[in-house]
Amino acid sequence: MASQLAAPSTLLRVALLLVSAAVLCAAGAGSLREGFYSETCPRAEEIVREAVADGLALNPGWAAGLLHMSFHDCFVRGCDASILLDATPTGEPVEKEAPANGPILRGLELIDDAKQRLESECPGTVSCADVLAFATRDALALAGMSNYPVPAGRRDGRVSRAADVPSNLLPPSASVSNATGLFASKGLSQEEMVTLLGAHSIGGAHCGVFAYRLYRYRPDQPQDPTMDPAFADLLKLRCPEEGSYFSMIASQERVPFTRSPSALALHNTFYVDLIKGMGLLESDQALMEDAGTSSLVEQMAGASRDWWAKKFGAAMVKMGSIEVLTGKDGEVRRSCRSVN
């Protein structure tokens, strides 16, 4: 197993990023609290929970959509529901129009429904950012995760720029050092990063996101050597090589992240797959090529699902405090798709 040790200067930069980002996140997190709507909209969380149950009954795959949407929202401009906006006053392309966001935007209809129900009972009270946080928690609970409390009080952003997306999201080919640096800049530790990447135990990716690992990984090495050969052969059946008869259709094929029989349930079998060389994304499989993260992967693979679920819930709460707008900042949108 290869060990990728960062240079001292790199470690120092990551440490400084982690400290400064943690201070920013702590300031925002202190403004959030459990039961935020207990007086202004007592049934807020219950209303969202009902909307989520109704939505997932129609489309269970929306659970993965809500989870990945929360990641993409919080990592770009903080957890301000900017990913939900169809347009902003500037008229420039918004986050949901960025190429990295198109494939993951599933479950928007569920958020719309929850917001409409809230507006009927408590107009102008519950932010879209809190709706997304509540809905994600409730969807995960229905996907078999532990229920965790969600501190609320977020306000909605009025800015959404597609140009902000690429530098704030993890590309599928990211190295461990780059991934660690990105998560550190958001106030999240390497252990929390490995925990949160377990989100890839639910949902999937289109062939075009990872097919390069099967056919054109390196000029002298067509297939990624970290990928289990038998697993690669199975993926080739789902994702034919570019230029073949079925490749155009297959490019839109969604392949599950994990081979777990319960593909709609979040589970720490994701880490077992990484140990076997069966990670779909290069950035995920790279966790086994680094001494620090590989030990975390092995720990989480060998743990009980309940133990990991509690760690995941705690990491989600911390992620939900990234650069939040509170108090008089931002607004409470009447519609999650447009500013007031």
Side-chain angles (χ1 to χ4, degrees):
M1 184 181 302
S3 174
Q4 302 171 349
L5 296 179
S9 60
T10 301
L11 291 174
L12 179 59
R13 286 196 300 271
V14 170
L16 290 173
L17 280 170
L18 183 58
V19 171
S20 60
V23 171
L24 288 173
C25 285
S31 302
L32 304 180
R33 60 181 172 83
E34 295 174 29
F36 183 83
Y37 298 105
S38 59
E39 295 183 4
T40 56
C41 189
R43 292 187 61 249
E45 295 190 48
E46 180 184 348
I47 290 170
V48 174
R49 190 176 302 115
E50 291 170 352
V52 169
D54 291 344
L56 295 192
L58 294 174
N59 192 332
W62 280 350
L66 291 173
L67 175 57
H68 300 150
M69 201 188 314
S70 286
F71 270 80
H72 286 217
D73 181 51
C74 288
F75 270 62
V76 182
R77 306 190 66 87
C79 308
D80 66 348
S82 53
I83 197 171
L84 302 176
L85 288 170
D86 286 339
T88 63
T90 64
E92 62 184 311
V94 293
E95 289 174 34
K96 65 169 57 173
E97 296 176 287
N101 280 334
I104 63 99
L105 290 178
R106 294 184 297 154
L108 288 169
E109 302 92 334
L110 190 157
I111 297 296
D112 289 339
D113 179 40
K115 179 61 172 173
Q116 288 171 5
R117 297 187 192 195
L118 288 164
E119 287 298 301
S120 296
E121 184 154 330
C122 314
T125 303
V126 183
S127 70
C128 297
D130 281 342
V131 172
L132 181 55
F134 292 148
T136 300
R137 182 268 313 274
D138 297 335
L140 295 182
L142 290 174
M145 288 291 291
S146 301
N147 203 347
Y148 55 89
V150 175
R154 300 167 189 80
R155 303 264 289 178
D156 299 324
R158 294 175 53 82
V159 177
S160 181
R161 301 173 65 248
D164 292 334
V165 172
S167 61
N168 284 290
L169 293 181
L170 195 64
S173 59
S175 66
V176 170
S177 60
N178 288 339
T180 300
L182 175 63
F183 275 72
S185 73
K186 309 300 179 182
L188 297 164
S189 69
Q190 189 175 69
E191 183 174 0
E192 287 164 336
M193 175 188 81
V194 176
T195 303
L196 287 169
L197 287 176
H200 286 165
S201 65
I202 189 171
H206 291 124
C207 290
V209 173
F210 61 86
Y212 72 93
R213 298 182 68 202
L214 303 172
Y215 304 108
R216 51 188 185 281
Y217 184 66
R218 297 283 187 269
D220 60 341
Q221 199 170 42
Q223 187 169 298
D224 186 343
T226 67
M227 183 179 285
D228 175 75
F231 179 55
D233 289 342
L234 287 174
L235 291 178
K236 287 175 182 178
L237 294 176
R238 299 285 297 270
C239 306
E241 188 169 6
E242 187 176 350
S244 66
Y245 181 75
F246 295 105
S247 63
M248 184 172 295
I249 297 174
S251 66
Q252 298 303 312
E253 173 84 0
R254 186 183 295 276
V255 179
F257 281 124
T258 175
R259 299 192 67 204
S260 167
S262 54
L264 295 176
L266 212 65
H267 206 290
N268 60 330
T269 51
F270 164 77
Y271 304 101
V272 177
D273 285 348
L274 296 186
I275 293 172
K276 295 178 180 178
M278 296 166 58
L280 195 63
L281 303 184
E282 184 178 7
S283 56
D284 289 341
Q285 191 59 53
L287 297 176
M288 285 303 299
E289 303 302 307
D290 177 273
T293 54
S294 64
S295 63
L296 291 169
V297 168
E298 290 166 355
Q299 178 189 30
M300 294 181 191
S304 69
R305 185 185 184 189
D306 288 344
W307 178 88
W308 175 76
K310 290 177 182 177
K311 284 186 69 69
F312 189 85
M316 285 293 293
V317 170
K318 188 170 179 181
M319 185 188 78
S321 70
I322 295 175
E323 299 173 32
V324 292
L325 300 173
T326 59
K328 295 183 179 180
D329 293 332
E331 64 182 13
V332 175
R333 293 187 216 134
R334 290 185 290 273
S335 166
C336 292
R337 292 178 180 263
S338 60
V339 298
N340 292 340

